[in-house]
Amino acid sequence: MPASPSTARALNDRLALRLLQQEGPLTAGQLKQLTGLSRPTVADLVDRLTASGLITVVGESGEQRRGPNARLYGIVADRAHLAALDVRTEGVFVLVSDLLGRVLAEASVPIGPDAGTGPAVEQAVAAVESAAKEAAAMAAPPREGVRGWGTLHTVGIGAPGLIDPATGDLRDSAGLPAWHRSLAVTLQDRLPGARVTVENETNLAALAEQREGAARDRDTFVLLWLGHGVGAAVVLDGTLRRGASGGTGEIGFLPVPGTAALPSATDCTGGFHSLTGAAAVTSLAAECGLPTPATPDGPGAAEAVRGAVAEVEKAGEGVPVPVTGPRAAVPVARPGEGEVKRRGGTDVTAGAEPDAATASASGEAGPAARASGIDPGRGPASESESESASESGSAGTGPVARETVARPGAGAASVPATAAAPGRPGCGAPPQAGPGGAPPAALPGDLPAARFLRILADRIAVGAASVVAVLDPGCVVLGGEVGQAGGAVLAGLVEERLRRMSPLVTEVRASSLGGTAVLRGALLTARDRAQDELFAPPDRMGG
């Protein structure tokens, strides 16, 4: 059934606008060539879009020809402004851009844990209003007859927690500040002409990585967010999957081996968060004797990981290969002194029972090891399995293993698994033989940084392997501040570990956007939604 004239015009207009957005200014002749439309049809759509204030003449083509040069048409970027918010437990980051994504203003406001809901929301809204005013001052002069010129059209908010798929509202989550849920409603009241939308922060990060970052060539992948907290986002066949209740990717609650307890419906202690959250990462770094920041948040954990990667790279020994066996127990950092607050309200208090890693160093089985029957001194493999692996003597394979260079003159002797690093309980035993009994590649003095990265990669791989087994995404992106800080070194270690644990081939990549991905994803989402309305047929725009 052929499209009606009005539908055909709408499709043609949107096609032309998308091309102008992607390619930049174009002449009418270039639009004709790229769209395949006739010259009269292109002339009509140019007239319509110019009259609606969406495109304008921005210059002339450089081609010399008889008569005047062809005029170049471009999208009117200041037709509307967009705001993006990255809402965190400790504050809000804001940016305002034009329709083409050019950032016009930025703002940030810290919000303390003792701030009440009212004052916290007021601080956040004031930051948005201030940035919007700054952007409006930078905008081009308003065009006569075009309503809404330079106003804040759409606000995209990225926040932790579950988004109700039916209402689009942020659901009440234990441990998250109450002002998070009030922010969107207040912004809508204070900005009645704007469209305010909320999305889970990890989902927005995945969208940004797909459009601008490490997953640009992937229609199917999983983003593993490693920052203050942990989470995952799933993109299958180019579509973000949210789940029946909006909870796809709540991987912090995933039960994993190597922890002292099981998570509950309101507390992710004992879940994957306990292995890879920022507090666990900084605690592990301290136990490995590495410099650690005072604050166990996302940036702090990233600093520890970045320093370890730099130390390993400086040693000139290539990428350290994770050498624990494919079924070895995963150590977790010991609870620190006092209390450390984590995202989601998780408290880690001193005096807990020794975990698997601590028990391995002390010779005492922790609660997780006792429950699972794992011998913390040598992992879950039986003696017969270990002897069989030792006798086979086959070398490890894979690109990461091949790239590792042993120290000149240094043998790669196997070290008994029960020998813990002196004075560093919880940092794990020295390298063990890998699958098949192959001795591990030597690292300079078995650097504490290398041991730290091995154990961290093991922990990450435990959660990633569960996702891979269910979804088979073919690609996992390590996102967030920690994922970006680990770079190719950490990604290579996790990929090699997954290769041992799963028959499903999975590429692991480091995020190229890191902690900025949420803000970029919020902006891209706001821009898409604004353009869906602004690029609509003229009769829907009132003219």
Side-chain angles (χ1 to χ4, degrees):
M1 179 178 177
S4 66
S6 61
T7 300
R9 286 194 296 270
L11 294 174
N12 293 339
D13 290 354
R14 292 173 76 92
L15 175 59
L17 287 164
R18 293 296 180 187
L19 286 170
L20 290 169
Q21 180 190 63
Q22 296 167 7
E23 305 293 334
L26 298 170
T27 65
Q30 290 169 326
L31 281 171
K32 174 182 178 299
Q33 182 180 9
L34 291 171
T35 61
L37 300 173
S38 67
R39 189 178 300 276
T41 300
V42 169
D44 287 343
L45 75 83
V46 166
D47 288 342
R48 283 195 303 274
L49 296 176
T50 301
S52 66
L54 288 173
I55 69 172
T56 189
V57 177
V58 295
E60 295 183 347
S61 68
E63 301 174 1
Q64 298 297 324
R65 62 184 71 202
R66 294 179 182 178
N69 294 334
R71 289 182 286 185
L72 282 167
Y73 295 93
I75 289 178
V76 180
D78 284 321
R79 174 67 175 78
H81 289 165
L82 318 168
L85 280 69
D86 181 0
V87 178
R88 306 193 180 189
T89 55
E90 69 277 7
V92 176
F93 297 87
V94 182
L95 66 79
V96 176
S97 82
D98 59 24
L99 271 181
L100 292 178
R102 182 170 62 99
V103 176
L104 303 175
E106 298 178 84
S108 63
V109 54
I111 298 176
D114 298 329
T117 298
V121 169
E122 183 59 35
Q123 284 179 274
V125 172
V128 175
E129 291 176 332
S130 174
K133 289 178 181 177
E134 181 181 344
M138 296 177 59
R143 288 191 55 183
E144 184 178 352
V146 178
R147 292 176 295 175
W149 186 275
T151 59
L152 201 55
H153 184 281
T154 305
V155 179
I157 302 174
L162 300 178
I163 308 299
D164 190 318
T167 64
D169 296 332
L170 185 65
R171 292 169 53 183
D172 188 14
S173 300
L176 293 178
W179 62 267
H180 282 193
R181 297 187 68 237
S182 302
L183 179 57
V185 175
T186 305
L187 276 172
Q188 190 66 81
D189 290 340
R190 297 272 282 270
L191 303 169
R195 289 79 176 157
V196 179
T197 60
V198 185
E199 179 59 273
N200 173 266
E201 58 176 358
T202 308
N203 288 344
L204 290 178
L207 292 175
E209 293 288 355
Q210 185 183 31
R211 298 269 288 274
E212 301 180 345
R216 280 174 291 183
D217 60 337
R218 290 280 182 170
D219 288 333
T220 296
F221 70 98
V222 168
L223 173 79
L224 197 60
W225 180 268
L226 304 169
H228 188 95
V230 297
V234 177
V235 177
L236 301 178
D237 299 324
T239 302
L240 179 70
R241 305 295 181 177
R242 294 178 174 84
S245 63
T248 296
E250 285 296 317
I251 198 171
F253 288 86
L254 180 71
V256 292
T259 60
L262 289 174
S264 70
T266 58
D267 190 348
C268 57
T269 301
F272 187 54
H273 175 92
S274 294
L275 294 183
T276 54
V281 173
T282 54
S283 179
L284 175 63
E287 291 173 2
C288 286
L290 301 180
T292 54
T295 306
D297 56 6
E303 180 183 338
V305 172
R306 191 177 297 109
V309 169
E311 185 176 345
V312 168
E313 290 179 334
K314 184 179 179 181
E317 298 294 332
V319 178
V321 178
V323 291
T324 51
R327 294 165 54 199
V330 179
V332 332
R334 291 179 302 159
E337 297 296 328
E339 293 189 353
V340 178
K341 193 72 173 179
R342 299 176 180 169
R343 173 170 293 183
T346 304
D347 292 326
V348 179
T349 57
E353 290 189 61
D355 55 32
T358 306
S360 177
S362 64
E364 175 188 357
R370 291 194 298 267
S372 61
I374 294 174
D375 179 351
R378 60 173 192 85
S382 67
E383 290 183 7
S384 61
E385 290 171 331
S386 298
E387 290 172 357
S388 173
S390 177
E391 291 172 358
S392 68
S394 60
T397 59
V400 178
R402 287 193 294 270
E403 292 172 3
T404 304
V405 180
R407 289 179 294 133
S414 178
V415 182
T418 53
R424 296 193 183 108
C427 191
Q432 305 176 43
L443 287 170
D446 192 27
L447 290 173
R451 293 199 300 274
F452 165 72
L453 291 173
R454 286 189 187 107
I455 295 173
L456 179 59
D458 284 346
R459 294 180 177 190
I460 294 170
V462 167
S466 299
V467 175
V468 167
V470 174
L471 298 175
D472 187 18
C475 179
V476 172
V477 176
L478 303 184
E481 298 96 336
V482 171
Q484 185 184 43
V489 171
L490 184 60
L493 286 166
V494 175
E495 180 175 323
E496 197 275 342
R497 185 70 163 126
L498 282 177
R499 189 181 299 116
R500 299 182 182 196
M501 298 173 69
S502 172
L504 306 177
V505 177
T506 306
E507 182 181 3
V508 180
R509 302 177 179 179
S511 163
S512 59
L513 300 176
T516 66
V518 175
L519 209 54
R520 291 301 306 169
L523 180 60
L524 290 168
T525 301
R527 190 175 74 178
D528 287 346
R529 290 174 178 171
Q531 290 174 348
D532 281 343
E533 179 175 332
L534 293 172
F535 292 3
D539 57 341
R540 282 179 52 193
M541 296 187 294

